[in-house]
Amino acid sequence: MELKGQRFSVEIADDRESQAMGLMFRDSMPPDHGMLFIFWNERQRSFWMKNTRIPLDIMYFSSGLELINVARAVPCRIQQCPGYPSDRPAMYVLELNAGKASELGLVPGDVMSLHLD
């Protein structure tokens, strides 16, 4: 996938099992990698960081691949982790290493491109 001219290799999470596991229990992620969650409908989304060891940018995208909002999420090691919600209904959620959204200068309305390679 591509954002602002930068390509990322992403793992796809498109079923309940892979979406529930996400990036949990990983100690690092290469700077040009991420995880793309694909849902079958557009609705309000909220992610949390339980058992996720990597600080992440959580980016919510509409069905048209437009950025809705970015949440800066920190690892959580307690039972009740905070949620990071979308500002409006989303169909895609992209997780990249924390700070990447700022580094790219992402703003709501920016468009993500998906590539099959």
Side-chain angles (χ1 to χ4, degrees):
M1 56 79 40
E2 187 173 322
L3 271 173
K4 293 273 200 149
Q6 185 168 343
R7 282 194 159 216
F8 295 89
S9 293
V10 294
E11 292 178 52
I12 302 296
D14 61 357
D15 59 38
R16 286 187 184 270
E17 184 178 311
S18 61
Q19 290 170 349
M21 180 60 74
L23 292 169
M24 289 194 298
F25 306 110
R26 299 187 194 192
D27 293 318
S28 65
M29 182 168 60
D32 62 343
H33 282 65
M35 181 169 277
L36 180 65
F37 296 78
I38 301 173
F39 296 96
W40 302 109
N41 59 13
E42 193 172 45
R43 69 180 189 115
Q44 205 66 33
R45 307 273 172 209
S46 186
F47 276 48
W48 64 333
M49 297 288 289
K50 183 163 181 162
N51 298 319
T52 304
R53 300 172 180 159
I54 310 166
L56 298 171
D57 285 343
I58 301 174
M59 292 161 253
Y60 295 96
F61 290 86
S62 70
S63 59
L65 302 175
E66 291 183 10
L67 180 64
I68 296 167
N69 68 293
V70 177
R72 186 98 182 245
V74 296
C76 179
R77 290 175 179 81
I78 60 173
Q79 197 64 8
Q80 290 294 99
C81 297
Y84 299 95
S86 60
D87 288 347
R88 58 180 213 270
M91 190 165 172
Y92 303 94
V93 180
L94 175 64
E95 293 182 337
L96 298 176
N97 285 304
K100 190 55 77 172
S102 179
E103 178 184 314
L104 293 171
L106 293 178
V107 295
D110 284 342
V111 177
M112 171 176 58
S113 298
L114 300 178
H115 304 279
L116 299 173
D117 29 78

